[in-house]
């Protein structure tokens, strides 16, 4: 028996038996050691002379034997075995908590201290980033395992903003301030709300499909998407409440909308889906919500359009950040986007904004059904289409596409807005 | 199918648990990847498996120590030992006692109730009783409380050892014999009340399971079997799953010294 001169770590087990709690001291102490590192265990439990070697044999640690300390206690020496060693470096020395009272402890602070890895190992499963992972775990079916295709650095800040900005559709909208509107105007509001809710349902379902594909090393992306899903849930809730609050009720769902949203739901790639949904779709919706805000006939409609638009701006912001980040690492993306947009356009038979939606937006902007008011509403609608087109081109350029391609893609965008 | 080929190593194992199918299907796949064609036959008990080996129906038997020494005896010591688990080496058995039974030496067992495992369990019955006798205990003066569960499986399931511990817990026995694997893993999992139950004695070490073959086995099969077996690696997740199920971390080369006490015990107890 070769006895090591020095133990790197020593613990005092008192009279604890192996099965009486001693291992709660021994196992964490061994975890501090590299293979071969020696732990000294002081003990006054004679049973350990048999049990500790047997346990070491089962766990593949090296039991070096027992010595008698000057005071008569046993001193067992155990070297950490090499099997089952968790991979990675122990996290230590973090003290991230804010120093001042009232200061926010943000996810962005944590991300900057524990940054995203370039690649993630599917065998680490749901282990939080930074955890030391025992080898031998099963492989998980996460497919989004590369930082540069998935996780822009801004995502933690966007998550922090989203959490701070959550609102309550039951409380924060002045529902009592909906006057009795002219029937045609109320019907137009309800139809617009129906259209918004239908599209928002797709915005709830589409990102949800990608959450389980995201490797938990990039959890902030999944967490941001969770805030986005919660936002969409609130929007759906608020829009449908508005449709039913003023006496008109939920309106018509168009086949154009249905065709368009199915192509979103069937997108298989996260970056492509994010491009179609967040940059093109939600981007276009920003202009739509501004339009509704501008022409809102009542305070509730105004407030919910305003709140939804702020949330949507965050979704678009994430989509753009994701895209810029991905484009910087994959020069083949613009060509892929163009192919995806063309393919999508070919699958949507209709080429115009759904008629019920166009009419409702026209009446909403007119505020009345006199021919002169409708003429103004019609001009406003045409202006909206132009604003949307310009906005899309600007956002696509902002994401990193060249002007010509941005214009082509904007032109091919679905007449359903989303 | 490859099983019809002469190159296929046919291995026998006892299905002491449904997991045995998972284990050997996984090991068969691993052997395939290593270029060794292997298939397995499951038996319900070790006696049938040893007979099949002796008749040449299988090439290799994954044997308990009891089956191993019987194969050696039936081949007059010429059988081939091919490998064992790390966990099969330096096994010991324990005599555990209720703390309130007032047993502090081995001869205090005289006149007391000693719970023991299955009659074909090396670690829970055959060897602890042999070693106790060697240490001066008169077994005629001890009341044995046997738990003959899973006879034919040679103690593989560990159920008789858990029954021994339960008997101590309930106070129907003053002492009991268990293998140290069960004793230590039950303790490590927090399932032993150490205020109630204590170790009295540990037996000398002995070795456990072994892959056995007849002396006539093809050398190519031996080489392919050992190469593929020893290539299994704990750090490989696919392998680790199988190794954990089979209760080892590493396959080891064979060694024979650890079975002498079992042969002596079988002589003494007339259990050949
Ligand atoms: Fe929304
Ligand atoms: Fe959105």
């Amino acid at each position: 028996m070769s006895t090591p001169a020095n133990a790197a770590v020593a613990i005092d087990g008192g009279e604890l038996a192996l099965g009486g709690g001693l291992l709660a001291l021994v196992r964490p102490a061994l975890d501090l050691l590299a293979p071969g590192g020696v732990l000294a265990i002081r003990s006054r439990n004679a049973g350990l002379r048999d049990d500790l070697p047997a346990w070491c044999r089962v766990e593949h640690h090296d039991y070096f034997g027992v010595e008698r300390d000057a005071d008569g206690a046993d001193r067992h020496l155990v070297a950490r075995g090499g099997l089952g060693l968790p991979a990675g470096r122990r996290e230590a020395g973090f003290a991230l908590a804010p120093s001042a009272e009232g200061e926010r402890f943000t996810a962005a602070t944590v991300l900057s201290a524990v940054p995203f890895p370039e690649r993630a190992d599917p065998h680490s499963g749901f282990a939080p980033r930074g955890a030391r992972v025992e080898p031998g775990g099963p492989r998980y079916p996460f497919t989004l395992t590369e930082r540069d295709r998935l996780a822009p650095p801004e995502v933690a800040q966007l998550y922090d903003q989203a959490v701070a900005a959550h609102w309550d559709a039951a409380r924060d909208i002045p529902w009592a301030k909906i006057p009795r509107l002219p029937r045609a105007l109320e019907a137009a509001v309800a139809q617009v709300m129906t259209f918004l809710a239908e599209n928002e349902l797709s915005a709830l379902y589409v990102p949800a499909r990608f959450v389980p594909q995201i490797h938990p090393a990039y959890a902030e992306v999944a967490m941001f998407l969770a805030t986005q899903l919660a936002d969409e849930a609130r929007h759906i809730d608020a829009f449908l409440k508005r449709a039913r609050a003023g006496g008109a009720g939920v309106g018509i769902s168009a086949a154009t909308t249905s065709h368009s949203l199915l192509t979103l739901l069937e997108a298989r790639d996260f970056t492509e889906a994010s491009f179609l949904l967040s940059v093109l779709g939600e981007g276009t919706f920003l202009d739509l919500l501004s339009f509704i805000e501008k022409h809102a006939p009542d305070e509730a409609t105004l407030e919910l359009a305003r709140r939804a638009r702020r949330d949507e701006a965050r979704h678009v912001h994430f989509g753009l950040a994701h895209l810029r980040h991905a484009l910087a690492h994959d020069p083949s993306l613009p060509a892929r986007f163009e192919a995806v947009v063309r393919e999508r356009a070919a699958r949507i038979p209709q080429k115009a904004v759904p008629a019920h939606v166009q009419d409702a937006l026209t009446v909403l902007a007119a505020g009345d059904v006199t021919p002169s008011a409708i003429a103004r509403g019609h001009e406003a609608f045409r202006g909206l289409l132009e604003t949307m087109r310009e906005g899309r081109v600007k956002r696509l350029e902002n994401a990193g596409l060249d002007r010509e391609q941005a214009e082509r893609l904007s032109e091919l965008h679905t007449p359903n807005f989303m | 199918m490859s099983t019809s080929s002469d190159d296929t190593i046919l291995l026998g194992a006892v299905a002491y648990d449904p997991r045995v199918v998972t284990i050997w299907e996984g090991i068969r796949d691993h052997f395939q990847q290593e270029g060794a064609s292997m298939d397995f036959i499951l038996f319900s008990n070790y006696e049938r498996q040893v007979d099949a080996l002796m008749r040449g129906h299988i090439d290799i038997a994954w044997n308990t120590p009891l089956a191993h020494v019987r194969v050696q005896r039936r081949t007059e010591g010429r059988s081939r030992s091919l490998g064992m688990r790390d966990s099969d080496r330096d096994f010991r058995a324990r005599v555990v006692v209720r703390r309130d039974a007032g047993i502090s030496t081995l001869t205090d067992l005289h006149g007391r109730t000693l719970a023991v495992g299955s009659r074909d369990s090396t670690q829970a019955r055959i060897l602890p009783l042999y070693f106790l006798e060697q240490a001066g205990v008169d077994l005629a003066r001890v009341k044995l409380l046997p738990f003959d569960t899973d006879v034919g499986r040679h103690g593989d399931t560990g159920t008789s050892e858990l029954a021994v511990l339960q008997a101590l817990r309930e106070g129907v026995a003053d002492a009991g014999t268990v293998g140290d694997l069960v004793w230590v893993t039950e303790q490590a999992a927090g399932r032993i009340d150490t205020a109630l139950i204590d170790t009295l004695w540990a037996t000398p070490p002995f070795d456990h399971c072994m892959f056995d073959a007849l002396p006539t086995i093809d050398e190519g099969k031996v080489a392919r079997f050992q190469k593929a077996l020893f290539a299994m690696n704990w750090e490989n997740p696919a392998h680790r799953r199988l190794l954990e199920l089979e209760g080892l971390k590493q396959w080891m080369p064979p060694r024979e010294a650890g079975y002498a006490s079992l042969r002596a015990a079988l002589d003494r107890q007339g259990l050949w």
Side-chain angles (χ1 to χ4, degrees):
Chain A
M1 181 174 61
S2 67
T3 304
N6 294 309
V9 180
I11 56 172
D12 189 344
E15 297 188 352
L16 291 171
L18 185 84
L22 180 79
L23 290 176
L25 298 175
V26 170
R27 287 184 289 221
L30 286 170
D31 276 342
L32 294 173
L33 297 169
V38 175
L39 170 68
I41 304 161
R42 256 175 69 82
S43 170
R44 291 188 174 277
N45 183 307
L48 278 193
R49 291 173 205 163
D50 286 324
D51 285 353
L52 205 52
W55 180 78
C56 287
R57 195 174 65 87
V58 171
E59 295 299 325
H60 282 246
H61 301 303
D62 291 323
Y63 182 76
F64 282 121
V66 58
E67 298 165 348
R68 196 59 68 86
D69 267 354
D71 62 354
D74 284 342
R75 190 163 176 273
H76 302 271
L77 294 171
V78 173
R80 207 239 188 269
L83 293 180
L85 207 66
R89 283 186 45 190
R90 165 174 296 274
E91 257 190 22
F94 280 129
L96 299 180
S99 45
E101 210 173 315
E103 197 181 317
R104 283 162 53 79
F105 188 6
T106 63
T109 307
V110 176
L111 178 60
S112 58
V114 191
F116 291 135
E118 211 175 306
R119 263 163 223 290
D121 176 3
H123 286 106
S124 67
F126 285 117
R129 185 170 72 248
R132 296 161 75 217
V133 180
E134 245 190 316
R139 190 187 169 86
Y140 274 61
F142 304 124
T143 50
L144 298 169
T145 56
E146 288 170 60
R147 179 189 62 199
D148 295 336
R149 293 178 176 279
L150 173 69
E154 306 91 307
V155 66
Q157 273 139 353
L158 290 170
Y159 166 80
D160 288 326
Q161 287 168 17
V163 171
H166 274 189
W167 48 277
D168 176 354
R171 180 197 60 202
D172 298 335
I173 306 296
W175 295 114
K177 295 194 177 169
I178 301 176
R180 184 150 288 277
L181 297 172
R183 242 177 96 156
L185 186 55
E186 179 59 34
V189 171
Q191 177 58 53
V192 169
M193 293 297 147
T194 305
F195 174 73
L196 289 173
E198 182 169 2
N199 284 282
E200 294 289 70
L201 275 159
S202 83
L204 173 67
Y205 280 58
V206 172
R209 294 193 47 211
F210 294 99
V211 171
Q213 298 183 18
I214 297 171
H215 192 289
Y218 312 107
E220 283 85 345
V221 178
M223 287 155 63
F224 174 78
L225 289 181
T227 68
Q228 183 166 336
L229 300 184
D231 289 344
E232 305 302 9
R234 222 171 29 238
H235 300 170
I236 294 159
D237 176 22
F239 294 148
L240 289 174
K241 279 176 178 155
R242 177 61 193 90
R244 290 171 171 134
V250 168
I252 291 165
S253 160
T256 308
T257 302
S258 189
H259 275 291
S260 187
L261 298 183
L262 181 60
T263 61
L264 276 186
L265 188 67
E266 289 179 346
R268 284 286 169 270
D269 175 84
F270 181 52
T271 304
E272 287 173 14
S274 176
F275 170 69
L276 293 178
L277 175 73
S278 295
V279 178
L280 290 176
E282 292 177 308
T284 303
F285 259 52
L286 285 180
D287 295 321
L288 177 61
L289 290 165
S290 295
F291 181 89
I292 295 166
E293 208 178 317
K294 184 174 169 196
H295 300 291
D298 58 86
E299 281 182 53
T301 304
L302 174 78
E303 186 62 19
L304 67 86
R306 199 175 60 83
R307 286 180 181 269
R309 185 175 50 75
R310 276 198 213 146
D311 293 340
E312 290 308 328
R314 219 164 34 237
H315 307 169
V316 175
H317 191 142
F318 173 73
L320 284 172
H322 171 83
L323 223 64
R324 267 198 305 270
H325 196 64
L327 276 167
H329 294 90
D330 184 355
S332 76
L333 271 185
R336 247 173 64 202
F337 288 157
E338 180 147 357
V340 163
V341 171
R342 284 188 187 283
E343 197 188 319
R344 185 183 186 204
R347 289 183 59 196
I348 305 172
Q350 299 84 357
K351 300 294 169 221
V353 176
H356 303 97
V357 177
Q358 178 179 342
D359 296 344
L361 289 170
T362 302
V363 171
L364 179 74
D368 199 351
V369 288
T370 63
S372 60
I374 291 295
R376 281 198 312 275
H378 181 65
E379 270 318 297
F381 173 74
R382 285 167 39 78
L384 170 62
L385 295 184
E386 182 51 24
T387 306
M388 285 173 162
R389 196 192 64 78
E390 282 168 9
R392 274 197 302 272
V393 171
K394 209 175 70 208
R395 277 185 289 273
L396 289 172
E397 281 190 272
N398 191 338
L401 298 181
D402 65 47
R403 170 119 200 143
E404 220 175 293
Q405 195 175 27
E407 280 179 350
R408 267 202 316 277
L409 292 188
S410 173
E411 229 43 66
L412 287 164
H413 184 58
T414 170
N416 184 62
F417 306 152
M418 185 174 283
Chain B
M1 224 186 112
S2 57
T3 49
S4 59
S5 150
D6 281 341
D7 286 347
T8 299
I9 301 163
L10 203 49
L11 183 137
V14 168
Y16 60 86
D17 186 287
R19 293 181 313 180
V20 170
V21 176
T22 312
I23 294 168
W24 289 104
E25 281 182 346
I27 295 181
R28 181 179 61 189
D29 292 348
H30 160 71
F31 269 57
Q32 213 70 50
Q33 283 167 23
E34 291 287 316
S37 172
M38 183 272 267
D39 206 350
F40 58 91
I41 295 180
L42 297 182
F43 296 88
S44 74
N45 64 80
Y46 282 98
E47 283 66 40
R48 186 80 61 199
Q49 172 165 298
V50 167
D51 280 345
L53 179 69
M54 294 309 298
R55 289 165 201 260
H57 295 165
I58 55 176
D59 296 310
I60 297 171
W62 178 222
N63 273 339
T64 55
L66 183 57
H68 171 62
V69 297
R70 283 175 173 165
V71 166
Q72 286 185 319
R73 189 176 171 97
R74 288 171 70 172
T75 58
E76 292 161 337
R78 290 181 302 116
S79 65
R80 299 279 301 271
S81 303
L82 303 183
M84 62 203 304
R85 300 173 299 189
D86 50 11
S87 47
D88 289 318
R89 295 179 165 207
D90 301 317
F91 216 90
R92 282 137 77 99
R94 296 302 175 88
V95 177
V96 292
V97 294
R98 280 183 66 92
R99 285 182 186 275
D100 62 8
I103 299 171
S104 54
T105 68
L106 288 181
T107 47
D108 288 343
L109 290 169
H110 293 153
R112 313 305 295 271
T113 301
L114 177 69
V116 294
S118 285
R119 61 175 172 268
D120 60 7
S121 170
T122 303
Q123 68 271 17
R125 176 105 155 240
I126 300 171
L127 279 178
L129 290 185
Y130 169 75
F131 285 126
L132 280 174
E133 236 183 344
Q134 296 290 302
V137 174
D138 180 0
L139 292 180
R141 295 174 61 195
V142 178
K143 272 178 277 175
L144 294 188
L145 175 61
F147 290 94
D148 279 314
T149 57
D150 292 330
V151 171
R153 275 87 184 265
H154 295 189
D156 269 0
T157 57
T159 52
S160 70
E161 288 161 85
L162 297 179
V164 165
L165 291 172
Q166 185 61 21
L168 258 74
R169 219 172 267 137
E170 290 170 356
V172 295
D174 304 302
T177 57
V178 292
D180 64 0
L181 182 66
V182 166
W183 174 241
V184 163
T185 52
E186 287 297 295
Q187 280 198 83
R191 289 192 288 256
I192 300 284
D193 181 355
T194 55
L196 188 73
I197 301 175
D198 191 17
T199 310
L200 175 67
W201 189 61
T203 68
F206 54 92
D207 284 358
H208 215 257
C209 299
M210 181 68 84
F211 286 107
D212 286 317
L214 293 185
T216 50
I217 186 172
D218 173 65
E219 283 305 329
K221 286 186 179 176
V222 170
R224 289 196 299 281
F225 176 81
Q226 289 185 321
K227 180 173 167 284
L229 189 73
F230 297 139
M232 292 184 78
N233 174 7
W234 178 258
E235 305 294 336
N236 176 323
H239 296 174
R240 175 166 171 175
R241 189 177 67 95
L242 302 168
L243 295 171
E244 279 186 308
L245 286 170
E246 184 54 30
L248 73 154
K249 292 199 167 92
Q250 211 172 303
W251 293 106
M252 304 293 280
R255 66 175 194 185
E256 296 300 338
Y259 300 94
S261 55
L262 180 57
R263 287 189 207 97
L266 296 181
D267 284 337
R268 167 84 191 134
Q269 297 171 14
L271 285 177
W272 286 106

